[in-house]
Amino acid sequence: MEEKYIVNETLKRIEPLEKKCSYCRKKDMTLIDSCFFETLFFEQKRSNYLVVRKVNFNKVSIGVPRCESCRSIHEGANAKAQKYIFIAAGIILILPFLFTFSADAFSDGIIPAVIVLIAGFLFKNYLSEKIVFKTDILSEKVGAQYSVIVQDFLEEGWQYEQPEA
């Protein structure tokens, strides 16, 4: 059987031997630190007693090969999404000043600005995926789902969500 990965004991992660980028499928990975590390969980033992429930599970980080240009696109998309969120909150905060020129206008804009910030950070992943989609590469999560190593682990019973008691 051909090995597809190596286990890095010091950093407690699985690193791929394949160099082809899983996101653009054009370039090769040059640095192992440019990989996207997907976390998977495996349920070992579940105990359900009358009062106490307990779950023992394993956790592993699996490296998905990614070239430097895809890494910079993913990180840039996250930065752009955060920038858009803060710009929207700033506009909502300043908008009441355009209609009234009083100190009360600032307090009228605080609550909507906070709501925009909270909603923005809840939808930040969606916004960054839309930004990445325009560049014709796969998003971090989608590219990791198509990775051969991650697929092998999923076939063995590993899962994306952490088991709960």
Side-chain angles (χ1 to χ4, degrees):
M1 183 176 139
E2 180 184 337
E3 286 293 320
K4 299 175 186 172
Y5 55 86
I6 57 173
V7 178
N8 188 335
E9 292 290 333
T10 57
L11 296 175
K12 299 186 187 314
R13 65 185 186 187
I14 294 177
E15 299 173 349
L17 292 176
E18 180 184 358
K19 300 292 183 192
K20 185 64 79 177
C21 178
S22 294
Y23 299 94
C24 66
R25 305 301 279 159
K26 296 175 185 172
K27 299 179 183 175
D28 287 341
M29 171 185 68
T30 55
L31 299 171
I32 197 68
D33 291 333
S34 66
C35 285
F36 173 72
F37 287 94
E38 179 70 57
T39 304
L40 295 178
F41 302 93
F42 184 73
E43 185 176 317
Q44 290 291 87
K45 181 181 172 186
R46 181 176 290 272
S47 306
N48 288 326
Y49 298 113
L50 187 61
V51 179
V52 179
R53 290 195 269 174
K54 183 178 178 182
V55 175
N56 293 339
F57 61 89
N58 290 341
K59 174 182 173 182
V60 67
S61 294
I62 300 172
V64 179
R66 178 171 62 173
C67 65
E68 286 296 320
S69 64
C70 289
R71 178 183 179 183
S72 65
I73 289 171
H74 287 144
E75 290 174 355
N78 287 333
K80 277 185 185 178
Q82 287 180 352
K83 183 172 72 172
Y84 293 156
I85 292 166
F86 283 120
I87 288 172
I91 289 171
I92 296 294
L93 186 64
I94 294 173
L95 199 61
F97 281 117
L98 298 175
F99 300 111
T100 61
F101 299 102
S102 67
D104 294 336
F106 183 74
S107 63
D108 292 341
I110 289 177
I111 292 175
V114 169
I115 291 171
V116 167
L117 279 175
I118 292 170
F121 281 107
L122 290 175
F123 291 108
K124 183 180 85 92
N125 291 336
Y126 174 76
L127 185 60
S128 64
E129 282 183 15
K130 288 297 181 187
I131 294 169
V132 169
F133 181 72
K134 292 180 181 178
T135 61
D136 293 332
I137 66 169
L138 299 174
S139 67
E140 289 178 326
K141 293 289 184 181
V142 173
Q145 289 173 352
Y146 291 130
S147 173
V148 176
I149 302 171
V150 173
Q151 289 297 320
D152 289 345
F153 274 81
L154 290 174
E155 288 174 2
E156 293 176 10
W158 292 76
Q159 56 190 6
Y160 290 112
E161 289 87 25
Q162 179 176 337
E164 296 179 2

